Every structure is written in C-alpha cells, then in structure tokens.
Amino acid sequence: HVGARIRLRRNMVGLSQERLGDSLGITFQQIQKYEKGVNRVGTSRLQAIGNVLNVPVTFFFDDMPDQPEKVPGFEEESDNTYVVGFLNSSEGIQLARAFAKIGDPKIRRKILDLVRTLSHEEDPEG
C-alpha cells in the first residue's frame, strides 16, 4: 500500500523514478522496489520521500485497508480502491492533470456529464 501511494504521489507531481532517486541519493531501481513492495521503506527514508514529494508521512497510509484478510468474493472493492487504481494509471494521471487546469466550473461540469454519459452512469445529484 505504501509503495502504491509513493507511486501515486510521484506521478501526481510529475516526478520520474530517476529524479526521485537522485534527490534521495539512491537509484531509480530502489524506487521501483519500494513502489512494487519488493523492499520495505524505512521510516527515515519514508520521511525523506515525503519531504521531496511535499506530503506528510501520513499520506502514505491514507486509505490503508483496515482488515488485511478479506475473503474473496464476499466484499466489493471500495470506491477508494477504484480511484487509487485509476490515478495510478497513465491515463488517470493525464486526465486528472488536464481536468485540474480547466478553470471554468461550467466546462468541468459539462465534461463530467459527458464522461457519465459515455460510461452510462446516472448523475446521483439529479
């Protein structure tokens, strides 16, 4: 979970694994291992990563699953799981960045309506 959150934030700020590694004095391969969960991230290293990515250490634990052992098939994924997965994708990052640059709320609403129409989702607000 922590590695996925590192990747999420790194992508949100548009930083490559190499640049993050350089700023921490480690290789991009080590960053890859942290993000994939192959290597654990020590507390001092996590603090340094948070400093570089401009987030508190608690960011890396947000949306942490409460129960590590879930029985497959008996519980649906939460909305947070879908959002984090989407934002970890290349398309999700690009879409979020582009959408955030749109200053006019009416245009953002029209885009949201278009996406809902394309996904066949009904507007829960009316």
Side-chain angles (χ1 to χ4, degrees):
H1 180 83
V2 170
R5 297 290 291 181
I6 292 171
R7 181 174 189 266
L8 171 66
R9 181 61 183 168
R10 181 181 58 75
N11 284 327
M12 287 172 67
V13 298
L15 198 63
S16 69
Q17 289 176 333
E18 186 173 6
R19 288 194 55 205
L20 178 57
D22 287 346
S23 62
L24 296 167
I26 59 177
T27 65
F28 78 91
Q29 290 96 337
Q30 185 61 42
I31 299 298
Q32 283 179 333
K33 290 177 182 180
Y34 289 154
E35 290 182 358
K36 291 181 180 180
V38 174
N39 288 1
R40 289 180 174 236
V41 185
T43 54
S44 59
R45 176 79 72 206
L46 193 59
Q47 178 67 49
I49 292 170
N51 290 341
V52 171
L53 298 177
N54 200 28
V55 291
V57 171
T58 55
F59 171 85
F60 302 111
F61 299 96
D62 287 349
D63 301 324
M64 180 75 84
D66 294 332
Q67 300 174 8
E69 293 185 34
K70 295 181 180 176
V71 179
F74 288 100
E75 185 173 329
E76 293 183 24
E77 292 185 275
S78 71
D79 287 340
N80 289 338
T81 303
Y82 292 119
V83 170
V84 170
F86 173 71
L87 288 176
N88 271 324
S89 72
S90 175
E91 296 87 1
I93 296 289
Q94 292 173 33
L95 185 60
R97 283 185 184 152
F99 189 82
K101 290 179 182 177
I102 300 170
D104 186 338
K106 289 180 183 178
I107 293 174
R108 285 195 307 263
R109 179 61 189 192
K110 287 180 182 181
I111 291 170
L112 181 57
D113 290 342
L114 172 65
V115 172
R116 283 190 174 131
T117 299
L118 292 173
S119 69
H120 307 292
E121 177 184 316
E122 291 188 26
D123 186 352
E125 295 177 11

